[in-house]
Amino acid sequence: MSRSRTEEVPVGVPRNYLRPCLLLLLAEGASHGYELLDQVAALGLERADPGGLYRCLRAMDAEGLVRSDWEPSTSGPARRNYSLTDEGREWLHAFAGSLAEVARALSAYERRYHKLIEQHELAR
Amino acid sequence: MSRSRTEEVPVGVPRNYLRPCLLLLLAEGASHGYELLDQVAALGLERADPGGLYRCLRAMDAEGLVRSDWEPSTSGPARRNYSLTDEGREWLHAFAGSLAEVARALSAYERRYHKLIEQHELAR
DNA sequence: CGGGTGTAGATGCACTATACACATAGCGTC
DNA sequence: GACGCTATGTGTATAGTGCATCTACACCCG
């Protein structure tokens, strides 16, 4: 393998991270897919896939976590506006708790990593 | 969907998290799969899949990130002992940097989530 | 008018990590 | 000899992701 260190390293955000992101943004206020696509960038998904995002929204709609209704627009195509349901809000809290666990795991990793680096520095 | 909130919420650790975990543990000292299986629990992988772990080690061996040699045991089956290569150490650093980014994303999420909760508390 | 750009939503498909089950084998012990 | 623990794997289905592609509306420009 001739992959250099400068190349993209394959460690992504947690699996299913898109869902809690969308739920959080919708908890802050109703919105539509195209806008959410920009907003998720602030949560670490700078290159979110539009297709995946729309699919995720449709799935959560089908599962009852969000509600959607069409809003015709005078300046462009119609938008499908999403808002959070009570069930979606419950899931948001569950997801947040779960993400907190992941964050704890990551900080455990970093503590341990830096401890290792420290020892390595001392050893020279 | 009649899934209760007490049920397992599908948010996992970052994708490919197992790799940096194994690299870190091997940077701390050579070890074998069965032992690593216990050790990754401390990094957030409490229910790691043995099959996946062994596969991951074999793959990193094939890619040159780790080295392995058999150690016969008097009290049980032989162990395949793994140790880190220079290339593996480079990847460890790259992974650690990448994980730090993910950690930043997660803390951004949590800040925003708690801000939302606060506002909700104030509103009642 | 025709074409390009930005907005908006969605599908199709291939790839890959993961989860889960299962197979093998050495060794101790009851 | 059956069971359980250590130890290392394989097989396979599924799910999430990434990437390409398609439709369609509105606007602007030459």
Side-chain angles (χ1 to χ4, degrees):
Chain A
M1 289 237 161
S2 57
R3 303 214 262 172
S4 79
R5 295 126 232 91
T6 63
E7 196 183 323
E8 208 68 40
V9 176
V11 187
V13 291
R15 281 178 301 116
N16 258 334
Y17 184 55
L18 185 56
R19 271 172 108 97
C21 282
L22 293 175
L23 290 175
L24 175 57
L25 292 171
L26 290 177
E28 291 177 353
S31 183
H32 61 277
Y34 194 77
E35 194 180 32
L36 290 164
L37 193 57
D38 282 342
Q39 297 181 318
V40 291
L43 296 171
L45 294 167
E46 18 283 297
R47 307 210 176 285
D49 171 45
L53 188 140
Y54 287 117
R55 243 195 317 259
C56 190
L57 285 169
R58 304 302 307 117
M60 291 198 294
D61 196 352
E63 291 167 30
L65 311 199
V66 299
R67 216 176 308 110
S68 75
D69 37 1
W70 285 99
E71 273 193 357
S73 169
T74 60
S75 64
R79 300 165 170 178
R80 193 193 277 267
N81 211 48
Y82 289 93
S83 54
L84 205 59
T85 64
D86 287 343
E87 204 186 338
R89 192 163 278 104
E90 284 176 31
W91 277 93
L92 168 62
H93 299 318
F95 271 117
S98 186
L99 283 175
E101 274 180 48
V102 175
R104 273 195 293 280
L106 287 190
S107 76
Y109 184 98
E110 287 188 11
R111 268 195 308 279
R112 202 141 163 185
Y113 174 73
H114 286 118
K115 201 170 163 186
L116 180 79
I117 299 300
E118 256 177 57
Q119 288 172 356
H120 187 261
E121 306 260 301
L122 287 174
R124 341 180 269 180
Chain B
M1 288 235 159
S2 58
R3 301 214 264 173
S4 80
R5 296 125 232 92
T6 63
E7 196 182 321
E8 208 67 43
V9 177
V11 187
V13 291
R15 280 179 301 115
N16 257 333
Y17 184 56
L18 185 56
R19 271 171 106 99
C21 281
L22 293 176
L23 290 176
L24 175 57
L25 292 171
L26 290 177
E28 291 178 353
S31 183
H32 60 279
Y34 194 77
E35 195 180 31
L36 291 164
L37 193 58
D38 281 342
Q39 296 181 319
V40 291
L43 296 171
L45 294 166
E46 17 287 294
R47 306 207 178 287
D49 171 44
L53 187 139
Y54 287 116
R55 240 196 306 262
C56 189
L57 285 169
R58 303 303 305 118
M60 291 198 294
D61 197 352
E63 292 167 29
L65 311 198
V66 299
R67 214 177 308 110
S68 75
D69 38 1
W70 285 99
E71 273 194 357
S73 169
T74 59
S75 66
R79 299 165 170 179
R80 192 192 278 267
N81 210 48
Y82 289 93
S83 54
L84 204 59
T85 64
D86 287 344
E87 202 185 339
R89 191 162 281 104
E90 284 175 30
W91 277 94
L92 168 62
H93 298 319
F95 271 117
S98 186
L99 282 175
E101 274 180 47
V102 175
R104 274 195 293 280
L106 287 190
S107 76
Y109 184 97
E110 287 188 11
R111 267 195 309 278
R112 201 141 164 185
Y113 174 72
H114 286 118
K115 201 169 163 187
L116 180 80
I117 299 300
E118 256 177 57
Q119 289 172 356
H120 187 260
E121 305 259 301
L122 287 174
R124 336 178 278 179

